[in-house]
Amino acid sequence: EPEVTQTPSHQVTQMGQEVILRCVPISNHLYFYWYRQILGQKVEFLVSFYNNEISEKSEIFDDQFSVERPDGSNFTLKIRSTKLEDSAMYFCASSEGFTTAKNIQYFGAGTRLSVL
Amino acid sequence: AQKVTQAQTEISVVEKEDVTLDCVYETRDTTYYLFWYKQPPSGELVFLIRRNSFDEQNEISGRYSWNFQKSTSSFNFTITASQVVDSAVYFCALRPISGGGADGLTFGKGTHLIIQP
């Protein structure tokens, strides 16, 4: 069964460093998303991406964040200068399309980011 | 603004008991989707079900059933004859239909379900 793949599963970084979280969405999907979940809290939407550009973003997604689809398979989230409060689980998701039959978002297993 | 409330932070039941997880939502959109996702201890988010706001027909799928009531803005989820493997955090989520595929999901805080053997 196709699945969303995220690497690494755990990333440890020093405050102020740049990190790139990687995702391989399901191959025929067109919409891609990033969410984050601070430990013990709810899952929060960060950004959606379609047709090689950002479609929607939340107020959390500030200038420190960027997303990119560098090739036909990968979808990345970059945090330029990490802060302690960026420590969270980051989930990538993808959906096939926007119609009712195709708009279910399927999630990866997440990358746990620990900022020290 | 949208909001999803899952008032039950944690529920603990003994195996084989039935359990209902509550979800109440707020939205100004007239058409929207409601979802339930499961997060087992391994951490991934697993899609369980989606309902459209214009389809209030309730559904049963094996041991799972869902009760959608638009009049009370509730979308509750029931597990019948619970099993230890059902132990997980369950999230209710909401998304408007009008935005096409770009809108993110608005999640509740989740209910941690513990099934004791």
Side-chain angles (χ1 to χ4, degrees):
Chain A
E1 184 176 325
E3 60 181 20
V4 176
T5 305
Q6 291 186 242
T7 55
S9 57
H10 190 193
Q11 175 86 48
V12 181
T13 190
Q14 295 290 325
M15 189 170 56
Q17 295 295 305
E18 173 183 288
V19 293
I20 297 176
L21 309 182
R22 303 182 190 280
C23 169
V24 178
I26 295 172
S27 62
N28 64 333
H29 285 193
L30 301 177
Y31 289 83
F32 314 115
Y33 314 82
W34 283 103
Y35 292 79
R36 80 172 184 191
Q37 183 184 28
I38 295 172
L39 187 62
Q41 299 188 24
K42 65 179 178 181
V43 179
E44 300 173 291
F45 169 71
L46 294 178
V47 66
S48 62
F49 191 87
Y50 170 72
N51 200 25
N52 284 320
E53 60 183 22
I54 291 174
S55 297
E56 297 286 340
K57 59 182 181 178
S58 71
E59 58 188 24
I60 303 170
F61 193 87
D62 60 23
D63 292 343
Q64 291 284 82
F65 293 92
S66 63
V67 289
E68 191 179 31
R69 188 156 164 81
D71 52 44
S73 59
N74 289 285
F75 179 51
T76 62
L77 174 69
K78 181 192 290 186
I79 308 175
R80 290 189 181 81
S81 179
T82 50
K83 306 170 193 165
L84 294 176
E85 54 265 38
D86 293 327
S87 294
M89 179 75 89
Y90 288 82
F91 289 103
C92 174
S94 68
S95 66
E96 188 178 357
F98 63 88
T99 61
T100 297
K102 298 182 177 182
N103 65 13
I104 295 170
Q105 294 180 25
Y106 293 94
F107 286 75
T111 292
R112 178 159 299 286
L113 177 64
S114 299
V115 182
L116 305 178
Chain B
Q2 300 174 98
K3 185 177 179 182
V4 176
T5 301
Q6 295 178 254
Q8 305 152 308
T9 304
E10 183 174 290
I11 299 175
S12 180
V13 300
V14 177
E15 198 173 21
K16 298 184 183 176
E17 288 185 8
D18 299 347
V19 58
T20 295
L21 308 182
D22 297 333
C23 173
V24 174
Y25 61 91
E26 297 173 29
T27 180
R28 293 179 183 165
D29 295 289
T30 54
T31 55
Y32 46 89
Y33 295 109
L34 293 162
F35 302 81
W36 277 97
Y37 282 85
K38 172 182 179 180
Q39 186 177 41
S42 50
E44 71 273 25
L45 284 165
V46 179
F47 166 75
L48 294 177
I49 190 171
R50 178 196 58 199
R51 304 300 297 177
N52 306 329
S53 57
F54 43 85
D55 178 7
E56 289 193 65
Q57 182 177 1
N58 292 314
E59 181 174 333
I60 297 175
S61 176
R63 296 186 299 108
Y64 298 163
S65 61
W66 292 269
N67 186 349
F68 174 38
Q69 294 198 0
K70 202 169 182 178
S71 60
T72 56
S73 297
S74 65
F75 183 46
N76 298 335
F77 169 45
T78 297
I79 301 175
T80 304
S82 59
Q83 300 175 2
V84 173
V85 294
D86 296 327
S87 296
V89 180
Y90 290 81
F91 291 96
C92 181
L94 169 71
R95 217 200 83 199
I97 289 179
S98 59
D103 292 283
L105 299 169
T106 298
F107 283 86
K109 291 186 177 181
T111 296
H112 185 197
L113 177 63
I114 301 168
I115 310 297
Q116 299 183 25

